[in-house]
Amino acid sequence: EIIGRSYSGFESFIIIDRGQADGITAAMSLAKDEGLLGRVFEVGRNASKVMLIDDPNSRVSVAIQRTREQGTLIGMGAGLCKIMYLSPASDVQPGDIVISSGLGALDPKGVIVGEVEKVIREPRALDTSALVRPSCDLFKIEEALCIE
């Protein structure tokens, strides 16, 4: 269960009611049936802090489900994220589903992360980026599951 939360322009985390005594370790992922929420970054005996995916310090290796193109999801705060480092010729489109890629061995592969809302193509940029709305409402989390 979620027992605390902090949302500001500088951080976005929740506190769960499980810790070392329950087998929780740093870098475990937190998810709901709707998708990925974040990653444990601080573990106490009976409680842990989880950085949510919209936190400006959050990084998740992701893929566009339809095309399998890969990029890095970066938190932007206020319940939004951005995929960076997509190919300039990327076929990403609004409505595409974003999943965790499993690269980097931190998050399990294939967990839904969100949906592309807008594609950003800068004329002279070396990559394409996309705004992503997380699949879970990060402001209404009450319960979640820790996964390795």
Side-chain angles (χ1 to χ4, degrees):
E1 289 187 8
I2 310 313
I3 59 172
R5 64 184 71 233
S6 174
Y7 293 111
S8 71
F10 304 106
E11 62 185 10
S12 179
F13 70 85
I14 56 177
I15 301 170
I16 59 173
D17 67 345
R18 297 288 186 260
Q20 288 175 329
D22 305 292
I24 303 298
T25 59
M28 285 180 112
S29 295
L30 193 75
K32 290 182 57 90
D33 54 347
E34 294 97 346
L36 189 68
L37 298 171
R39 189 176 302 130
V40 175
F41 72 96
E42 188 176 312
V43 182
R45 178 152 174 72
N46 297 306
S48 302
K49 286 185 179 180
V50 176
M51 180 185 302
L52 297 174
I53 60 173
D54 72 332
D55 186 291
N57 294 308
S58 175
R59 304 289 184 270
V60 178
S61 294
V62 295
I64 305 299
Q65 189 174 44
R66 179 178 59 82
T67 66
R68 310 314 286 179
E69 294 175 81
Q70 298 182 7
T72 301
L73 187 83
I74 298 172
M76 296 179 61
L80 283 175
C81 301
K82 187 177 190 178
I83 300 176
M84 303 291 293
Y85 315 120
L86 293 169
S87 162
S90 173
D91 184 35
V92 63
Q93 299 172 10
D96 278 345
I97 301 299
V98 179
I99 59 173
S100 57
S101 69
L103 296 177
L106 290 176
D107 297 299
K109 183 177 181 176
V111 178
I112 293 176
V113 175
E115 183 177 317
V116 173
E117 283 199 341
K118 179 181 179 182
V119 178
I120 303 163
R121 297 182 198 279
E122 299 293 335
R124 287 175 265 178
L126 299 175
D127 63 355
T128 297
S129 59
L131 292 180
V132 174
R133 174 79 49 194
S135 56
C136 297
D137 187 337
L138 301 176
F139 299 101
K140 296 181 180 177
I141 307 165
E142 294 180 14
E143 296 178 331
L145 178 67
C146 276
I147 52 179
E148 289 189 83

